[in-house]
Amino acid sequence: MVLSGALCFRMKDSALKVLYLHDNQLLAGGLQVGKVIKGEEISVVPNRSLDARLSPVILGVQGGSQCLCCGTEKEPTLKLEPVNIMELYLGAKESKSFTFYRRDRGLTSSFESAAYPGWFLCTVPEADQPVRLSQVPEDAAEDAAWDSPITDFYFQQCD
């Protein structure tokens, strides 16, 4: 089955900070001067060229007109690239640097870079900071420090 459009999700980190767009950057936060931020609609499509059992997904914002990308340098850098999510989905462009393996852990999911194994989407405990990538050891969940990156996200389909 081929999708006719991207699926819509909202994401919060496990500290309940929502992901939102500000000055073309994806941030994680909550309240801003007394108003609640609803959170960015995240466009999601599977990467059909990678093993479906690993749940490879491409994540976009602004209706899928920009996608999260890990770059192609030696070290990954998370950025938004102006590329249409459906072009990536339909295979018109190399998409591994735009792909994350979604791993479900009960109520939350983590997102590992397909191009940079061992690097995960994360937020930091402080509010209104950019979403970034971090290397996380396998046993990090058990002994997470108060200032360690947050790699677990609530990933819920839009209403």
Side-chain angles (χ1 to χ4, degrees), residues 102-110 152-156:
R102 177 182 167 190
R103 294 207 178 111
D104 293 331
R105 302 175 173 173
L107 297 175
T108 61
S109 300
S110 66
D152 289 331
F153 294 89
Y154 293 100
F155 193 65
Q156 296 161 320

Side-chain angles (χ1 to χ4, degrees), residues 52-80:
R53 292 171 300 191
L54 299 174
S55 299
V57 294
I58 299 169
L59 306 172
V61 295
Q62 293 188 311
S65 64
Q66 295 191 75
C67 293
L68 286 176
C69 178
C70 297
T72 55
E73 306 300 315
K74 196 173 144 193
E75 290 262 307
T77 305
L78 189 68
K79 53 189 178 250
L80 288 171

Side-chain angles (χ1 to χ4, degrees), residues 21 28 41 63 65-66 70 82 89 96 107 110 118 124 126 130 133 137 145 155:
L21 211 51
E41 290 186 354
S65 64
Q66 295 191 75
C70 297
Y89 172 70
K96 195 168 186 181
L107 297 175
S110 66
V124 294
E126 189 181 336
L133 291 165
F155 193 65

Side-chain angles (χ1 to χ4, degrees), residues 1-19:
M1 181 179 108
V2 176
L3 295 176
S4 58
L7 302 174
C8 174
F9 285 81
R10 291 197 191 276
M11 290 174 74
K12 293 180 195 169
D13 68 15
S14 58
L16 303 182
K17 294 189 303 291
V18 297
L19 302 192

Side-chain angles (χ1 to χ4, degrees), residues 129-140:
Q129 296 299 309
V131 175
R132 55 190 72 155
L133 291 165
S134 178
Q135 283 185 299
V136 181
E138 283 296 317
D139 57 357

